[in-house]
Amino acid sequence: MCILAILYRVAKNTPILVAANREEYYSRPTQAPKIQSGTPRVICGIDREAGGTWLGVNQFGLFAAVANRRKLYVPPQPRSRGLLCRELLGFATAKEAAQYAAKELSTGRYAGANYICADAKYAAVVHGGNKVEIVELEPGLHLLSGGDVDDLSDPRHEFVYRMLTLHKLDSPVTFLAVASRVFARPADSYGRRGVVLVGPEYGTVSSTLLSLPKKIQQAIFQYAPGPPNTHPYEDLSALLRQVLSAGRSKQKDKDGQLAVAKSRQAKNVR
């Protein structure tokens, strides 16, 4: 399971702000986020056991993440949920990615999962529990973990929502500063009044802070390679900006080609 907060289309000039803690077995091998080979360009971490990811961003500004959830019937050999998350990062838009996630989850090949897909124009959570459902996200603060999106009956959802909304979240600086403190707070023995989970074999294994603004040079990717209350965040923003710049360069090339084509067409008309 994981827990994630997304502030969607609220902060000025920054459509997507994310804070997320990953929870996993400590023994599961993991590769820290880096730029992956292939196209489109993607920055994400890799689960070395199955080859998938839990969270990433591609060159088109598409953010995708997955959180495990309960499901009554799980196939004997389920396909990796992280592999599906990695596949979602191959799409150009969040809407296409969400539709693909719903289609895949409907095959019944997966254990329970929630996926979130977001870009500057569209965001949705795909519930893949006992039924598959796409929930489109309106502008605002949204929370996701192992149940339905924005379920405030979940003690950690309620805690995160209450702590974050004590502040006016109108800028990336404010959101990331507040979220870094909230997501670093250990939960009590009942999993309440905190976010970080610590168990003998399973718990919080990493944390991510993400800002996807309109200006690429202001994009932020910070990653803590362990519980954020004991591991400082490392700044991977330069890698994120490199990925986003690849998408912007391709768009400029496409716009340039379109302009040339229109110019030639106009000359032919004359």
Side-chain angles (χ1 to χ4, degrees):
M1 194 184 300
C2 302
I3 184 167
L4 176 150
I6 179 170
L7 188 67
Y8 186 61
R9 294 174 61 182
V10 172
K12 186 177 180 180
N13 296 321
T14 308
I16 298 172
L17 287 160
V18 173
N21 282 4
R22 182 187 183 214
E23 293 146 15
E24 188 52 86
Y25 287 99
Y26 303 133
S27 60
R28 196 171 181 111
T30 298
Q31 180 188 83
K34 70 173 188 176
I35 299 175
Q36 305 299 325
S37 60
T39 55
R41 303 297 277 169
V42 169
I43 178 172
C44 68
I46 297 295
D47 165 29
R48 288 184 171 174
E49 185 169 303
T53 188
W54 61 96
L55 176 155
V57 180
N58 73 11
Q59 67 183 53
F60 305 113
L62 166 63
F63 163 74
V66 60
N68 297 349
R69 71 173 289 160
R70 291 184 179 88
K71 184 179 178 182
L72 286 178
Y73 173 74
V74 177
Q77 294 182 315
R79 187 170 187 264
S80 165
R81 293 166 286 199
L83 281 177
L84 176 54
C85 187
R86 196 170 179 181
E87 289 171 355
L88 299 182
L89 292 166
F91 287 88
T93 70
K95 191 166 189 176
E96 291 174 310
Q99 290 172 343
Y100 180 79
K103 181 180 178 181
E104 273 293 296
L105 291 170
S106 296
T107 65
R109 295 194 295 161
Y110 299 85
N114 289 322
Y115 291 86
I116 182 168
C117 306
D119 59 26
K121 296 181 179 180
Y122 178 90
V125 166
V126 184
H127 292 146
N130 298 325
K131 66 176 182 178
V132 176
E133 178 185 19
I134 297 178
V135 180
E136 296 184 1
L137 302 183
E138 297 294 329
L141 176 64
H142 300 280
L143 304 171
L144 183 67
S145 57
D148 289 347
V149 63
D150 296 332
D151 178 10
L152 294 184
S153 67
D154 181 311
R156 290 201 300 167
H157 277 207
E158 189 277 332
F159 172 80
V160 171
Y161 185 85
R162 179 161 44 87
M163 291 295 101
L164 290 179
T165 54
L166 287 174
H167 305 265
K168 187 177 181 181
L169 303 174
D170 57 354
S171 74
V173 172
T174 301
F175 176 84
L176 295 177
V178 175
S180 66
R181 295 193 297 270
V182 173
F183 276 69
R185 181 162 170 172
D188 63 20
S189 58
Y190 298 99
R192 299 177 301 190
R193 293 188 290 276
V195 182
V196 174
L197 297 183
V198 179
E201 299 178 351
Y202 180 96
T204 301
V205 296
S206 66
S207 184
T208 300
L209 299 173
L210 182 67
S211 173
L212 293 176
K214 293 180 179 179
K215 294 183 178 180
I216 290 175
Q217 63 269 29
Q218 296 176 356
I220 295 172
F221 193 128
Q222 295 181 332
Y223 175 76
N229 58 322
T230 57
H231 291 70
Y233 286 95
E234 300 171 359
D235 190 8
L236 306 181
S237 301
L239 297 180
L240 173 61
R241 294 166 191 167
Q242 186 177 336
V243 166
L244 295 173
S245 295
R248 187 67 57 86
S249 297
K250 286 195 174 184
Q251 185 60 47
K252 285 183 179 179
D253 290 343
K254 187 182 293 184
D255 292 343
Q257 292 170 3
L258 183 61
V260 170
K262 286 183 177 179
S263 177
R264 288 174 178 171
Q265 187 178 25
K267 288 179 180 179
N268 291 335
V269 170
R270 293 194 193 108

